[in-house]
PDB file of all heavy atoms in Angstrom:
ATOM      1  N   LYS A 279       1.910  -0.558   1.022  1.00 94.00           N
ATOM      2  CA  LYS A 279       2.934   0.441   0.998  1.00 94.00           C
ATOM      3  C   LYS A 279       2.746   1.494   2.112  1.00 94.00           C
ATOM      4  O   LYS A 279       3.669   1.803   2.857  1.00 94.00           O
ATOM      5  CB  LYS A 279       2.927   1.182  -0.383  1.00 94.00           C
ATOM      6  CG  LYS A 279       3.159   0.224  -1.558  1.00 94.00           C
ATOM      7  CD  LYS A 279       3.153   0.954  -2.858  1.00 94.00           C
ATOM      8  CE  LYS A 279       1.878   1.663  -3.226  1.00 94.00           C
ATOM      9  NZ  LYS A 279       0.738   0.760  -3.478  1.00 94.00           N
ATOM     10  N   SER A 280       1.521   2.035   2.255  1.00 92.00           N
ATOM     11  CA  SER A 280       1.279   3.004   3.288  1.00 92.00           C
ATOM     12  C   SER A 280       1.393   2.414   4.697  1.00 92.00           C
ATOM     13  O   SER A 280       1.930   3.073   5.593  1.00 92.00           O
ATOM     14  CB  SER A 280      -0.083   3.650   3.082  1.00 92.00           C
ATOM     15  OG  SER A 280      -0.146   4.367   1.851  1.00 92.00           O
ATOM     16  N   VAL A 281       0.951   1.187   4.800  1.00 95.00           N
ATOM     17  CA  VAL A 281       1.034   0.511   6.140  1.00 95.00           C
ATOM     18  C   VAL A 281       2.520   0.346   6.482  1.00 95.00           C
ATOM     19  O   VAL A 281       2.936   0.566   7.646  1.00 95.00           O
ATOM     20  CB  VAL A 281       0.296  -0.862   6.098  1.00 95.00           C
ATOM     21  CG1 VAL A 281       0.672  -1.710   7.302  1.00 95.00           C
ATOM     22  CG2 VAL A 281      -1.216  -0.657   6.027  1.00 95.00           C
ATOM     23  N   ASP A 403       4.223  10.202   0.781  1.00 90.00           N
ATOM     24  CA  ASP A 403       3.306   9.155   0.390  1.00 90.00           C
ATOM     25  C   ASP A 403       2.483   9.711  -0.756  1.00 90.00           C
ATOM     26  O   ASP A 403       1.588  10.542  -0.549  1.00 90.00           O
ATOM     27  CB  ASP A 403       2.451   8.725   1.536  1.00 90.00           C
ATOM     28  CG  ASP A 403       1.750   7.374   1.247  1.00 90.00           C
ATOM     29  OD1 ASP A 403       1.838   6.894   0.101  1.00 90.00           O
ATOM     30  OD2 ASP A 403       1.081   6.820   2.125  1.00 90.00           O
ATOM     31  N   GLU A 404       2.744   9.282  -1.957  1.00 87.00           N
ATOM     32  CA  GLU A 404       2.052   9.687  -3.178  1.00 87.00           C
ATOM     33  C   GLU A 404       1.904  11.192  -3.252  1.00 87.00           C
ATOM     34  O   GLU A 404       0.804  11.708  -3.301  1.00 87.00           O
ATOM     35  CB  GLU A 404       0.674   9.016  -3.232  1.00 87.00           C
ATOM     36  CG  GLU A 404       0.854   7.519  -3.250  1.00 87.00           C
ATOM     37  CD  GLU A 404      -0.438   6.809  -3.599  1.00 87.00           C
ATOM     38  OE1 GLU A 404      -1.336   7.419  -4.151  1.00 87.00           O
ATOM     39  OE2 GLU A 404      -0.495   5.597  -3.390  1.00 87.00           O
ATOM     40  N   VAL A 436       6.630   6.923  -1.689  1.00 93.00           N
ATOM     41  CA  VAL A 436       5.717   5.960  -2.335  1.00 93.00           C
ATOM     42  C   VAL A 436       5.126   6.666  -3.570  1.00 93.00           C
ATOM     43  O   VAL A 436       4.684   7.781  -3.476  1.00 93.00           O
ATOM     44  CB  VAL A 436       4.530   5.583  -1.398  1.00 93.00           C
ATOM     45  CG1 VAL A 436       3.470   4.773  -2.122  1.00 93.00           C
ATOM     46  CG2 VAL A 436       5.074   4.790  -0.211  1.00 93.00           C
ATOM     47  N   HIS A 438       2.872   6.196  -7.411  1.00 81.00           N
ATOM     48  CA  HIS A 438       2.130   5.453  -8.424  1.00 81.00           C
ATOM     49  C   HIS A 438       2.718   5.810  -9.802  1.00 81.00           C
ATOM     50  O   HIS A 438       2.380   5.211 -10.807  1.00 81.00           O
ATOM     51  CB  HIS A 438       0.673   5.844  -8.438  1.00 81.00           C
ATOM     52  CG  HIS A 438      -0.142   4.989  -7.534  1.00 81.00           C
ATOM     53  ND1 HIS A 438      -1.202   5.454  -6.829  1.00 81.00           N
ATOM     54  CD2 HIS A 438      -0.013   3.685  -7.187  1.00 81.00           C
ATOM     55  CE1 HIS A 438      -1.689   4.481  -6.117  1.00 81.00           C
ATOM     56  NE2 HIS A 438      -1.007   3.406  -6.296  1.00 81.00           N
TER      57      HIS A 438
HETATM   58 MG1  LIG B 716      -1.063   4.048   0.070  1.00 60.23          MG
END
Side-chain angles (χ1 to χ4, degrees):
K279 302 181 296 295
S280 296
V281 167
D403 196 353
E404 299 192 19
V436 170
H438 270 145

